[in-house]
Amino acid sequence: MIIEFYGSLAETIGREIEIGLDEGTTIASVRRTLVALYPAAAETLSRPEVRALVDDQMAGETTVLTSASVLAFLPPVSGG
Amino acid sequence: MEIHTRLAVEGFSPSSELAAMEVGDAGAVASMIGRCRDRRADGTAVLGMLLDHHPRLTAQSLEQIAGDAATRFDLLAVRVLHRSGLIRPGAAIVFAAAAATHRRAAIEAVDYMMDRLKTEALFWKREDAVDGSRWIEPTDADRAAAARWSD
């Protein structure tokens, strides 16, 4: 599964990583895994304001992922 | 109704974009240009900004905001441009404009679009200053301003 990052998360982790996925993995589980793998990004990843997208659609923490999913984590946006 | 939005990965000319708002029946054209400051409020020198965007959803967010303005207000034309990438102090970051028969609709539409761009457009903004870099998030004032438009 591909995971994309934006903003401060992209700066810390990189734009994109690829990880192996166990059957039935949820977004919440991936988030916990990333927190452990990337301590420098842990605080940001743990914020509820950091949203998850699956295949460009907003998704909740209990969403079950597949190996073909593209998961993205978005920090709070700021335009204008 | 003309709706034009563009994610600008290179610089753009606000005066050229304003000139493009010449609409025949428009009694009013209102516009807002947001620029990269050269100093923070505390006087710290700003070296520039980096704006990150999503390859598919950022452009859609601009279209959504412009389209919603066109639906909400009695307008003849809407134009929104927003930079991404590295931006130098003084350079334009965002251009939002609306043309209408009457001024109230044009002014309010630009106000509305700016409030939504500040809080909903899919950009991530890093400010680079002499004392370091920081990722910027909407302030309470930004959120309160956007909340004014909630139905």
Side-chain angles (χ1 to χ4, degrees), chain B residues 46-64:
Chain B
V46 170
L47 303 173
M49 302 192 88
L50 171 69
L51 264 71
D52 191 15
H53 72 274
H54 188 286
R56 295 167 297 282
L57 298 182
T58 296
Q60 287 181 27
S61 70
L62 299 181
E63 291 164 7
Q64 181 73 52

Side-chain angles (χ1 to χ4, degrees), chain A residues 4-11 15 47 51 53 56-58 70 72-80, chain B residues 51-57 82 93-94 114 117-126 135-138:
Chain A
E4 298 175 344
F5 300 96
Y6 293 90
S8 61
L9 290 175
E11 187 173 59
R15 172 65 83 204
R47 293 177 62 187
R51 297 177 291 171
L53 300 180
D56 290 355
Q57 300 289 323
M58 290 294 172
V70 175
F73 286 99
L74 312 185
V77 297
S78 183
Chain B
L51 264 71
D52 191 15
H53 72 274
H54 188 286
R56 295 167 297 282
L57 298 182
H82 201 300
I93 299 171
V94 60
M114 284 309 305
L117 287 167
K118 291 289 256 185
T119 56
E120 297 178 36
L122 260 66
F123 292 95
W124 296 272
K125 193 186 295 181
R126 190 187 75 200
W135 290 90
I136 293 171
E137 296 186 10

Side-chain angles (χ1 to χ4, degrees), chain B residues 28-104:
Chain B
V29 177
S31 66
M32 157 72 189
I33 301 164
R35 297 188 182 278
C36 177
R37 294 189 182 91
D38 63 358
R39 293 193 180 275
R40 290 194 197 127
D42 65 5
T44 304
V46 170
L47 303 173
M49 302 192 88
L50 171 69
L51 264 71
D52 191 15
H53 72 274
H54 188 286
R56 295 167 297 282
L57 298 182
T58 296
Q60 287 181 27
S61 70
L62 299 181
E63 291 164 7
Q64 181 73 52
I65 291 168
D68 288 350
T71 299
R72 185 178 183 125
F73 301 97
D74 187 13
L75 303 175
L76 299 171
V78 172
R79 198 168 188 91
V80 175
L81 278 81
H82 201 300
R83 282 292 315 278
S84 185
L86 285 171
I87 300 167
R88 296 297 173 210
I93 299 171
V94 60
F95 174 88
T101 304
H102 301 293
R103 74 179 189 282
R104 187 63 52 206

Side-chain angles (χ1 to χ4, degrees), chain A residues 14-49:
Chain A
R15 172 65 83 204
E16 183 180 298
I17 64 171
E18 191 163 1
I19 63 170
L21 200 64
D22 292 331
E23 195 67 34
T25 298
T26 63
I27 290 176
S29 176
V30 171
R31 200 186 285 257
R32 286 192 295 272
T33 299
L34 293 173
V35 163
L37 285 174
Y38 299 100
E43 183 177 347
T44 301
L45 281 167
S46 301
R47 293 177 62 187
E49 299 93 340

